[in-house]
């Protein structure tokens, strides 16, 4: 099987829109994540692909550049990793662990929490996505996709491109909408794989770093 690890690494100086991110940019973190992702790609016998400019969707926020994955049909599996994801040494081969799954991702936050705040946020997000209240929105920072899923979603994603330019949803809104459009089914990765605000066993996703 032909596999790839994809990252987007667009620094603020390359695009002023990047400065609107809600968390602090840390240059060394991007460099560290890149080094670890390259090492992991070697361990998994996968290609490492990095996007460093906004040429794919030049009129969109840099986060949308990860949607170039829909053009990477030469791969049987693609793992997308945010550039603020720290990979730990004990990380197993995710491609092999989930080789029979079409789409895998971590939940955005702990939607199973009894917190009134989380329940309110989930209701708001599901309404924005036009999903049922039972849907569990995922984070687009760690996603594993099969070639078959990418092929199907490629026909769907363009109609959502301009629905999520504001409100912090961006590409994550597009990807969730693809899943919702396809029936709201996906494989939820355990928090070990880097859910936001969690200390993952394999990946620490530092999206809230200050």
């Amino acid at each position: 099987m032909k596999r790839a690890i994809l990252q987007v690494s667009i620094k603020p100086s390359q695009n002023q829109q990047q400065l609107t991110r809600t968390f602090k940019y840390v240059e060394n973190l991007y460099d560290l994540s890149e080094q670890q992702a390259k090492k992991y790609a070697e361990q998994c016998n996968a290609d490492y692909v990095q996007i460093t400019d906004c040429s794919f969707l030049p009129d969109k926020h840099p986060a949308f550049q990860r949607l170039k994955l829909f053009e990477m049909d030469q791969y049987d599996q693609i793992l997308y990793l945010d550039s603020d994801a720290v990979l730990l040494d004990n990380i197993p081969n995710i491609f092999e662990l989930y080789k029979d799954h079409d789409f895998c991702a971590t939940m955005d936050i702990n939607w199973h929490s009894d917190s009134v705040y989380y329940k309110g946020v989930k209701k708001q997000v599901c309404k924005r996505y036009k999903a049922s209240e039972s849907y569990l929105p995922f984070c687009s920072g760690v996603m594993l996709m099969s070639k078959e899923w990418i092929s199907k979603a490629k026909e769907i994603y363009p109609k959502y491109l301009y629905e999520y330019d504001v409100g912090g949803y961006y590409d994550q809104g597009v990807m969730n909408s693809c899943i919702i459009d396809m029936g709201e089914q996906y494989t939820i990765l355990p928090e070990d794989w880097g859910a936001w605000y969690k200390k993952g066993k394999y990946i620490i996703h530092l999206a809230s770093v200050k």
Side-chain angles (χ1 to χ4, degrees):
M1 296 184 72
K2 192 169 178 58
R3 296 157 167 169
I5 293 177
L6 173 66
Q7 285 192 304
V8 174
S9 183
I10 300 174
K11 298 178 180 179
S13 60
Q14 294 172 265
N15 191 307
Q16 287 301 309
Q17 287 181 308
Q18 183 77 0
L19 296 175
T20 65
R21 295 170 70 162
T22 58
F23 59 89
K24 184 179 179 182
Y25 169 80
V26 181
E27 185 172 5
N28 290 341
L29 175 59
Y30 275 39
D31 294 338
L32 174 63
S33 184
E34 176 187 342
Q35 292 169 12
Q36 293 175 330
K38 285 181 177 178
K39 180 181 177 181
Y40 187 49
E42 291 180 5
Q43 293 173 351
C44 297
N45 193 28
D47 292 342
Y48 177 77
V49 181
Q50 185 183 64
I51 297 172
T52 58
D53 60 51
C54 292
S55 59
F56 178 61
L57 293 168
D59 62 331
K60 306 292 287 181
H61 187 280
F64 283 92
Q65 302 309 308
R66 79 191 68 192
L67 299 182
K68 190 173 181 178
L69 63 90
F70 290 111
E71 305 300 319
M72 297 169 60
D73 55 6
Q74 70 270 38
Y75 294 105
D76 298 298
Q77 287 177 293
I78 296 176
L79 172 65
Y80 177 81
L81 294 173
D82 266 359
S83 290
D84 54 9
V86 176
L87 281 63
L88 303 182
D89 290 339
N90 64 336
I91 184 171
N93 188 330
I94 192 172
F95 295 104
E96 287 297 320
L97 287 175
Y98 295 94
K99 63 183 178 182
D100 296 324
H101 298 253
D102 280 337
F103 187 94
C104 309
T106 56
M107 288 191 297
D108 195 4
I109 55 178
N110 183 11
W111 300 125
H112 296 304
S113 170
D114 290 330
S115 165
V116 174
Y117 171 76
Y118 279 178
K119 288 180 179 178
V121 171
K122 180 177 179 292
K123 184 176 182 180
Q124 177 184 346
V125 174
C126 286
K127 182 178 180 180
R128 181 71 173 91
Y129 289 162
K130 300 180 179 66
S132 68
E133 290 192 13
S134 63
Y135 182 66
L136 302 173
F138 61 83
C139 170
S140 62
V142 180
M143 302 181 292
L144 179 66
M145 298 147 282
S146 71
K147 183 175 184 174
E148 291 73 22
W149 186 88
I150 291 172
S151 178
K152 293 175 185 177
K154 184 177 182 178
E155 305 300 317
I156 299 172
Y157 90 91
K159 66 182 180 181
Y160 297 111
L161 269 180
Y162 293 92
E163 285 194 23
Y164 301 103
D165 283 332
V166 295
Y169 294 100
Y170 300 122
D171 65 286
Q172 187 159 299
V174 175
M175 297 300 290
N176 272 276
S177 288
C178 287
I179 289 289
I180 293 163
D181 206 311
M182 297 164 82
E184 298 191 354
Q185 299 297 317
Y186 73 97
T187 299
I188 299 173
L189 293 174
E191 294 173 352
D192 290 339
W193 290 98
W196 288 24
Y197 313 116
K198 299 290 182 183
K199 294 183 178 179
K201 182 178 178 181
Y202 306 131
I203 297 175
I204 300 175
H205 191 182
L206 296 174
S208 61
V209 68
K210 298 298 182 182

